[in-house]
Amino acid sequence: MRYYNTNNPEHYVTLEQAVMQGRAPDGGLFLPQGIPQLPTAFIQNMAMMSLQEISYAVANFALQGDVDSQVLKRMIDDTLCFDIPLVEVASRRYALELYHGPTMSFKDVGARFMGQLLSYFATKHNKEVTVLVATSGNSGGAVANGFYGRPGVKVVVLYPQDALDNLQEAQFATLGDNVIAIEVNGSLDDCRAMITSAFADAELRESIALTSARSINIARLLPQMFYYFYAVAQLQRRGCDVSQVVFSVPCGNLGNLTAGVMAKRMGLPIKRFIAADNANDIFTHYLATGKFEPREAVPTIASAIDIGNPRNFARIQSLYAGSYDAIVRDIQGMALSDEEISRAIKHLWRKYSYLTDPHGATALEILDRNLAPGETGVALATAHPAKYADAVENALEQMIPVPDALLQFLRGTRNVVSMNSGYASLRRFLLSK
Ligand SMILES: *Cc1c(COP(=O)(O)O)cnc(C)c1O
């Protein structure tokens, strides 16, 4: 399969180049050049298949031989070492729980798959690649765990000092081995600027192969298609009418939504999508007006989607050949205030005994408000409620339990390098390793 650059559709790269580069030199994003359609027989037989079987079939089809089949099978089994259950919350309304992986957010799926692809390409050429990540929460933990122990890959996580809670920090700072945690005496923007400088440093890049693990990497998007298929398979198993399936997706950088659109292109019956926003409603605003107007993000209780300039917007546009009319035929959107999100968390718990995090609650509430008669709705629940315990406990006015899988991280030994902000320190550190 060839991958084209959204800024310059005549520019093609291989899967390996797309994964290694992350984004094109001109800032464009990579997308598969012709998305293959799965045979209808496959869709009809999905009900009998496991998550791993469905994912392997979809991946083999989408990658078109770019990764050896046996290797790909191992990658899929390792990526999806946890279940992605579809839970019925209310009549015709389901939550797809994407958070049963090691760091309990849906980012585990993309990060684990990318870790393996990167390791596969690096070891194939006997190289070592260094992955630089800046994080203020979920992505650092998911990437570090997804890449942990993988041959040929080193991960350097930069994060602002004192900005993360102990649990967030522990998810990457207690791993050791090929994962290095650096707390920076500065802000998240300082961390990002240090990484940007490293990428622009031609001399450094002659001695170290650098790559980024940002969600714009196609390797993180591809595996996110799998669970859309698995959700429909689980509906089939329950005997639902799958011609009327609507997905409600909490939207940050729009990676999850882009993966859903790609799954639909591959032939998965999805009637439409609902984009669920918080007060950072840049995409919802676009759907309502046709104007894409990025702006500074404001903090909300659904903080993982506090994004002011959704990066995958370029992919959504490209997938619909730039047609606003085509986009709004498939995707509708709505935004909730913090107060509405909080009320939704409480309502879901009181009325349905369903405990969910602020992002899942946003998607479920917006689904509820928009589902038409005859439709079946699936909301993506992207994080375990305990990852956003403050917001959930405030909404419920009671404490919630933290699962042992998360507490485990706190039992490890914290191993952190402290660094001043500014590129010089990072450069010195990278060259000394
Ligand atoms: C990253 C994240 C999102 C947003 O996903 P995108 O693919 O960036 O739109 C939603 N929920 C949670 C919990 C996240 O960590």
Side-chain angles (χ1 to χ4, degrees):
M1 171 71 70
R2 296 199 297 175
Y3 292 80
Y4 72 90
N5 172 355
T6 52
N7 273 354
N8 174 7
E10 306 292 306
H11 169 204
Y12 293 106
V13 296
T14 63
L15 176 66
E16 175 172 346
Q17 289 166 324
V19 173
M20 290 298 196
Q21 290 174 22
R23 65 197 308 173
D26 64 2
L29 305 181
F30 296 116
L31 271 176
Q33 186 201 7
I35 297 176
Q37 272 245 271
L38 282 153
T40 34
F42 169 78
I43 306 288
Q44 283 156 3
N45 289 331
M46 283 193 313
M48 333 263 274
M49 297 167 72
S50 69
L51 168 62
Q52 291 78 9
E53 286 166 344
I54 290 172
S55 304
Y56 174 63
V58 173
N60 228 346
F61 218 73
L63 298 184
Q64 307 252 306
D66 285 336
V67 177
D68 173 76
S69 295
Q70 286 305 313
V71 176
L72 186 60
K73 172 128 192 24
R74 253 187 287 125
M75 285 184 187
I76 302 278
D77 290 347
D78 181 301
T79 299
L80 300 165
C81 58
F82 49 91
D83 194 21
I84 300 185
L86 186 75
V87 176
E88 184 170 18
V89 176
S91 168
R92 294 184 298 108
R93 289 154 176 78
Y94 296 83
L96 184 67
E97 294 184 349
L98 298 167
Y99 55 73
H100 297 284
T103 72
M104 308 207 121
S105 100
F106 88 99
K107 289 192 169 65
D108 281 329
V109 177
R112 292 178 69 75
F113 192 71
M114 180 178 169
Q116 299 189 73
L117 265 189
L118 208 59
S119 175
Y120 171 72
F121 290 129
T123 49
K124 199 166 133 186
H125 304 296
N126 251 323
K127 280 199 299 215
E128 184 179 79
V129 290
T130 298
V131 181
L132 296 179
V133 215
T135 190
S136 60
N138 277 342
S139 61
V143 168
N145 281 272
F147 290 47
Y148 174 61
R150 307 232 188 257
V153 194
K154 195 154 81 186
V155 187
V156 178
V157 183
L158 277 75
Y159 64 105
Q161 202 172 4
D162 304 328
L164 276 66
D165 64 38
N166 288 345
L167 190 53
Q168 285 175 323
E169 186 195 51
Q171 285 172 37
F172 55 83
T174 57
L175 296 175
D177 191 15
N178 62 335
V179 177
I180 299 167
I182 301 182
E183 64 175 0
V184 173
N185 184 2
S187 65
L188 180 65
D189 281 338
D190 293 330
C191 298
R192 290 202 178 117
M194 290 160 78
I195 291 180
T196 305
S197 301
F199 278 107
D201 185 342
E203 203 184 299
L204 175 83
R205 299 189 73 176
E206 270 176 28
S207 44
I208 303 175
L210 290 182
T211 190
S212 141
R214 296 197 49 191
S215 63
I216 39 125
N217 198 302
I218 191 75
R220 282 180 61 172
L221 274 191
L222 292 169
Q224 291 183 32
M225 291 193 292
F226 306 158
Y227 46 69
Y228 284 91
F229 284 87
Y230 187 53
V232 172
Q234 291 181 80
L235 288 172
Q236 289 170 327
R237 261 182 230 163
R238 291 168 189 255
C240 293
D241 171 9
V242 295
S243 67
Q244 297 287 317
V245 181
V246 178
F247 278 92
S248 174
V249 184
C251 288
N253 271 316
L254 299 170
N256 236 343
L257 184 63
T258 303
V261 170
M262 284 163 53
K264 180 171 158 76
R265 287 294 161 81
M266 286 187 81
L268 184 65
I270 297 178
K271 188 180 171 197
R272 62 193 183 100
F273 297 92
I274 303 171
D277 271 339
N278 60 21
N280 298 289
D281 61 350
I282 290 87
F283 187 59
T284 305
H285 174 77
Y286 165 78
L287 294 172
T289 64
K291 296 198 181 89
F292 183 65
E293 297 170 328
R295 57 171 197 266
E296 187 93 4
V298 296
T300 75
I301 58 169
S303 57
I305 56 172
D306 291 347
I307 305 283
N309 186 4
R311 297 291 163 191
N312 285 296
F313 180 69
R315 282 193 170 112
I316 300 268
Q317 267 202 315
S318 185
L319 284 166
Y320 288 96
S323 164
Y324 170 75
D325 291 342
I327 292 175
V328 295
R329 258 197 303 277
D330 271 5
I331 311 171
Q332 291 87 49
M334 190 181 259
L336 298 185
S337 67
D338 270 7
E339 202 193 322
E340 289 172 302
I341 298 170
S342 195
R343 231 184 293 134
I345 295 172
K346 191 161 151 181
H347 176 73
L348 285 159
W349 176 243
R350 295 274 161 85
K351 179 137 189 234
Y352 304 108
S353 304
Y354 189 68
L355 186 63
T356 188
D357 91 301
H359 308 87
T362 304
L364 275 163
E365 173 65 20
I366 289 178
L367 180 67
D368 197 52
R369 294 191 194 179
N370 288 277
L371 205 65
E375 290 179 336
T376 298
V378 177
L380 302 194
T382 46
H384 191 285
K387 291 207 85 167
Y388 294 89
D390 283 353
V392 176
E393 288 172 354
N394 282 337
L396 301 181
E397 295 169 47
Q398 72 185 64
M399 301 288 279
I400 58 165
V402 180
D404 206 47
L406 282 181
L407 292 174
Q408 279 300 340
F409 287 107
L410 287 171
R411 297 196 187 110
T413 311
R414 183 175 176 275
N415 190 350
V416 173
V417 178
S418 295
M419 192 177 280
N420 284 326
S421 68
Y423 175 53
S425 342
L426 179 62
R427 183 174 209 272
R428 211 173 314 119
F429 181 81
L430 291 173
L431 287 170
S432 72
K433 283 284 138 179

